[in-house]
Amino acid sequence: MKPAPFAYVRAQSVEHALDVLAEHGDDALVLAGGQSLVPMLNLRLVQPAVVLDINALRGLAAIDTDPASGALRIGTLVRHREIASHQTVAARAPLLHDAAPWIAHPAVRHRGTLGGSLALADPAAEWPACAVALDATIRLASRDGGERSVPASAFFQGLYQSERRADELLVGCDFAPPGDDAVFSFRELARRHGDYAAVGLALSARGRPGAWTAMRVVFFGVGDTPVQASACAAALIAGVDFPEAQARLEGELDPRPDLWFSAQAKRHLAVHLLREAWRDLGNPMAGE
Amino acid sequence: MQDIELELNGQRVRLAVSRREHLADALRQRCGLTGTHLGCEHGVCGACTVRVDGAAVRGCLMLAVQADGARVRTIEGEGDDPVMRALQDAFVERNALQCGYCTPGFLLTAAELIALDPDPSRESIRAYLSGNLCRCTGYQAIVDAVELAARRLREAPSTDGRAR
């Protein structure tokens, strides 16, 4: 249960970090909060030549506003605890505020970071699904390519696979201002509070009951990436009855079973979460 | 090896640590602070909980080299703290430990909860302690003890906090 030997580099600046990544590529792993990386090191699931610690890069730990777009800009090193308690996040990205307490346990939230979670691309994690539901923009930087932006919906490619190249550092994530009529719901089911989700749901919508104009219904813990239930969302916008939307959802989800839940159980729980989220949005349910 | 300097239980210390060594190992093996226990070493059990810059963290999920410049407190450094004293007394009274392996982690986590919320509900105690595993007690007695300590601290805020 001890890591294999590695070279430890404490990045002194973003440029320094990008140099290290340009030089070592896949052989270097970035240490942000370490709440997934260090267990993987301890278990020797990964044995990198270089561990690049970016925790000294305080410029990547800020929550501020992008002057050009007005987007809420969260630096890669912002920790889960700060997202949970930050007033600006609560006002401008309430979905993140609602989701943060669901991430693991307090001691893990004190260290774990937004950027680390996004870069890891764990399909059962909360932040990737929230980023997709909010149509967030993930910012990547490299020494040779400068900075580029990738929509969250295109970022997550597969199980622990993302659009990030080995020489790129995920520097932050931008969340566009929500519209005046934007509403959100975050729901999760786990066997024990703080465990990885059996199934979770991050939902964002615009409009009002009976007149929805846009909706993103994003499940996590059910596939290799966050899963957008697009047919279900389209049905809900079109104003179909809930059982019809439920049927669409059941048709488009193909959950991967885990140690405790079969695919069938996960599909059942996903429908349950959708029903709760639909209520959260203020929609009347038949028979109530 | 790499030299690090940290404030450990109020004292400045300088240590030479291996780069791949986690903080809990450094505390136990280089500083002799064996109150920090190692259970799973992958972040599941919470036995290695310590406070770093004021926040409870997993000692096994932080490299020792990352503690350079940090303030670290272990269970050994909390003996004079009135909240810790009240928690320890309540744990003894309510039989909230049997083998004691998980206890330092529970105490540090519970102390943090009481600092954040002096009047926690049983439900919030359970939620806050959900990242600490105990294989002996079944948790009921631990929740009882935290509830009792919090109540005593609320009722006697002007004393030194010692449970009476």
Side-chain angles (χ1 to χ4, degrees):
Chain A
M1 300 300 284
K2 312 295 178 189
F6 52 77
Y8 172 79
V9 179
R10 185 178 295 150
Q12 305 299 325
S13 64
V14 172
E15 293 70 30
H16 179 208
L18 299 183
D19 278 343
V20 172
L21 291 175
E23 186 184 339
H24 294 282
D26 272 342
D27 294 333
L29 290 178
V30 177
L31 174 58
Q35 301 303 288
S36 297
L37 177 59
V38 180
M40 289 159 78
L41 288 169
N42 287 352
L43 294 164
R44 301 202 181 191
L45 293 172
V46 292
Q47 299 191 22
V50 177
V51 169
L52 174 63
D53 183 355
I54 61 169
N55 281 275
L57 307 180
R58 302 321 297 165
L60 298 181
I63 297 177
D64 49 27
T65 302
D66 177 32
S69 66
L72 177 69
R73 172 161 279 195
I74 304 185
T76 205
L77 276 179
V78 174
R79 300 185 198 275
H80 308 320
R81 172 172 71 164
E82 194 180 351
I83 293 175
S85 61
H86 201 281
Q87 292 306 310
T88 309
V89 174
R92 296 181 49 198
L95 185 68
L96 302 182
H97 176 79
D98 292 348
W102 288 91
I103 301 173
H105 309 290
V108 171
R109 292 199 290 275
H110 291 162
R111 295 286 304 165
T113 64
L114 175 72
S117 172
L118 294 173
L120 182 67
D122 185 320
E126 288 81 0
W127 289 148
C130 288
V132 174
L134 295 174
D135 198 15
T137 302
I138 291 169
R139 289 180 296 115
L140 302 164
S142 63
R143 184 185 70 185
D144 302 326
E147 191 169 311
R148 67 179 178 124
S149 295
V150 179
S153 54
F155 182 77
F156 302 102
Q157 298 284 314
L159 193 64
Y160 303 112
Q161 300 289 314
S162 78
E163 183 63 22
R164 185 183 77 86
R165 294 194 313 261
D167 68 332
E168 285 179 316
L169 181 68
L170 195 162
V171 290
C173 190
D174 290 357
F175 299 88
D180 292 339
D181 60 350
V183 289
F184 309 94
S185 174
F186 185 87
R187 290 278 174 174
E188 179 171 325
L189 287 167
R191 294 176 71 242
R192 177 181 64 143
H193 189 93
D195 283 357
Y196 274 110
V199 183
L201 170 58
L203 190 155
S204 72
R206 304 206 45 182
R208 56 189 164 74
W212 298 110
T213 56
M215 195 173 301
R216 282 192 172 208
V217 178
V218 184
F219 285 93
F220 56 101
V222 297
D224 288 348
T225 63
V227 174
Q228 279 203 65
S230 308
C232 170
L236 290 169
I237 293 169
V240 303
D241 289 341
F242 189 85
E244 170 65 24
Q246 173 180 335
R248 299 275 188 96
L249 177 64
E250 287 166 336
E252 67 185 325
L253 278 190
D254 184 18
R256 171 195 287 268
D258 61 27
L259 285 175
W260 296 283
F261 297 94
S262 66
Q264 193 183 7
K266 287 198 174 211
R267 203 178 283 116
H268 172 81
L269 296 174
V271 168
H272 174 72
L273 292 187
L274 180 69
R275 189 177 295 121
E276 292 197 325
W278 194 234
R279 270 196 211 106
D280 290 342
L281 266 49
N283 296 287
M285 294 293 285
E288 287 180 354
Chain B
M1 300 294 282
Q2 186 153 335
D3 284 336
I4 61 169
E5 201 176 307
L6 62 155
E7 188 192 307
L8 177 56
N9 295 334
Q11 311 260 311
R12 288 224 67 85
V13 297
R14 182 182 278 273
L15 295 175
V17 297
S18 166
R19 291 176 177 86
R20 63 179 170 132
E21 179 173 324
H22 56 61
L23 177 60
D25 265 347
L27 294 169
R28 288 176 58 82
Q29 295 180 10
R30 301 194 191 273
C31 309
L33 297 173
T34 52
T36 301
H37 292 169
L38 281 174
C40 70
E41 282 186 89
H42 62 286
V44 174
C45 77
C48 64
T49 303
V50 294
R51 288 168 63 194
V52 175
D53 293 330
V57 306
R58 304 274 204 240
C60 74
L61 295 192
M62 191 170 164
L63 300 175
V65 287
Q66 292 188 279
D68 192 21
R71 275 180 301 121
V72 176
R73 293 193 78 85
T74 66
I75 192 70
E76 289 90 344
E78 301 290 331
D80 296 330
D81 178 63
V83 173
M84 188 56 72
R85 189 70 248 160
L87 278 166
Q88 287 172 328
D89 287 343
F91 266 58
V92 170
E93 279 178 52
R94 307 310 293 255
N95 288 322
L97 65 155
Q98 289 176 36
C99 82
Y101 202 83
C102 66
T103 310
F106 268 100
L107 290 170
L108 285 163
T109 308
E112 182 170 75
L113 170 63
I114 290 175
L116 290 169
D117 178 4
D119 188 9
S121 66
R122 289 183 73 84
E123 192 182 347
S124 66
I125 293 169
R126 280 188 176 275
Y128 211 82
L129 297 178
S130 65
N132 291 72
L133 298 186
C134 172
R135 288 298 185 233
C136 303
T137 63
Y139 303 101
Q140 190 75 17
I142 294 175
V143 178
D144 289 347
V146 175
E147 200 178 26
L148 174 65
R151 188 168 72 236
R152 284 179 175 161
L153 288 160
R154 287 197 308 279
E155 287 169 357
S158 58
T159 70
D160 66 356
R162 231 165 244 276
R164 291 163 298 171

